[in-house]
Amino acid sequence: MTIDVLTLFPDMIDSALSFSIPGRAQKADLVDIRAHQLRTWAIDRRGTVDDTPYGGGPGMILRVDVAHAALGALDHSHKAHRVMLSPDGELFDQSMAEEFATKKKLVILCGRYEGFDARIEKYVDQKVSIGSFVLSGGELAALTIIDAVTRLTPGVLGNAESLLEETFEADLTEYPQYTRPEKYRGMNVPDVLLSGHHAEIQKWRDSQRQNLERT
Ligand code: ADE
């Protein structure tokens, strides 16, 4: 799968994605993630990509002509799934990540400043938010989405990790897990986990999952 990110801060995307699972996935050629500088499609040699809002008000608005030109250059017959990031978009979740993971090509448009000229919505397929809070820009949202999508790409996770992923997808809740030391500052690992009794352990884990669902 190919993921193209349009941003004013491509280094933010490249550096964060060089680590951990997304880094490994790229090295193994399982995903191809490219961050593009939006200023490449600026209207002048100074690299202008934004302007003041019509009707007045604070801040700067990213120009529709610049964003449209960038989208056209990266995906000119509109074969990709185009996503723009905005705090007022559709809320990103695991099922959206699964859907994105089925796409051959994803283009992600990151906003900055006060946002985009509203007319850009005509040229994207979906407006997505990662939560009800306002970030300084779409880059961290793009990274969140790319991380969640990349780990679902076939071949990216090892066997053990994949199994864990299946559990997670079937049921977003998890049971509590413990490792050594057995006792830590008065807190003990539950006896059942030390019992070696697999059926009892499973029963306990299921009961803990239900507890989590209730909260
Ligand atoms: N840009 C600014 N805030 C955002 C959010 N919460 N989700 C997606 N993009 C954003």
Side-chain angles (χ1 to χ4, degrees), residues 167-196:
T167 331
F168 184 73
E169 278 164 24
D171 176 358
L172 284 171
T173 58
E174 262 297 343
Y175 47 79
Q177 303 248 51
Y178 302 86
T179 187
R180 275 180 268 275
E182 201 180 302
K183 294 184 201 310
Y184 186 68
R185 300 197 172 188
M187 295 179 286
N188 295 351
V189 172
D191 286 339
V192 61
L193 298 179
L194 311 173
S195 69

Side-chain angles (χ1 to χ4, degrees), residues 1 21-22 25 30-31 92-103 145-157 161-162 164-166 168-169:
M1 123 177 263
I21 288 170
L30 294 166
V31 287
F92 182 71
D93 62 7
Q94 190 66 18
S95 74
M96 201 186 287
E98 282 164 26
E99 195 193 310
F100 287 176
T102 67
K103 310 283 184 197
I145 291 171
I146 293 168
D147 188 287
V149 170
T150 299
R151 55 189 289 111
L152 296 175
T153 304
V156 168
L157 295 185
E161 292 162 321
S162 293
L164 195 70
E165 192 65 42
E166 277 167 31
F168 184 73
E169 278 164 24

Side-chain angles (χ1 to χ4, degrees), residues 40-146:
T40 309
W41 294 275
I43 53 156
D44 57 21
R45 296 172 121 231
R46 289 176 46 225
T48 305
V49 293
D50 58 356
D51 210 330
T52 52
Y54 278 119
M60 299 292 274
I61 306 297
L62 287 165
R63 295 176 58 115
V64 62
D65 50 356
V66 172
H68 185 210
L71 287 169
L74 295 180
D75 173 36
H76 83 154
S77 44
H78 197 158
K79 292 211 172 84
H81 187 65
R82 299 177 177 182
V83 172
M84 78 180 264
L85 298 171
S86 170
D88 67 344
E90 204 181 318
L91 197 61
F92 182 71
D93 62 7
Q94 190 66 18
S95 74
M96 201 186 287
E98 282 164 26
E99 195 193 310
F100 287 176
T102 67
K103 310 283 184 197
K104 269 188 82 165
K105 187 170 157 87
L106 212 56
V107 175
I108 303 179
L109 188 53
C110 299
R112 275 271 151 182
Y113 314 122
E114 303 307 309
F116 286 99
D117 182 306
R119 291 169 289 185
I120 195 60
E121 290 187 34
K122 181 166 183 222
Y123 305 110
V124 298
D125 300 304
Q126 207 172 356
K127 191 158 72 159
V128 174
S129 163
I130 61 157
S132 310
F133 42 80
V134 181
L135 299 165
S136 324
E139 288 75 15
L140 288 174
L143 288 168
T144 302
I145 291 171
I146 293 168

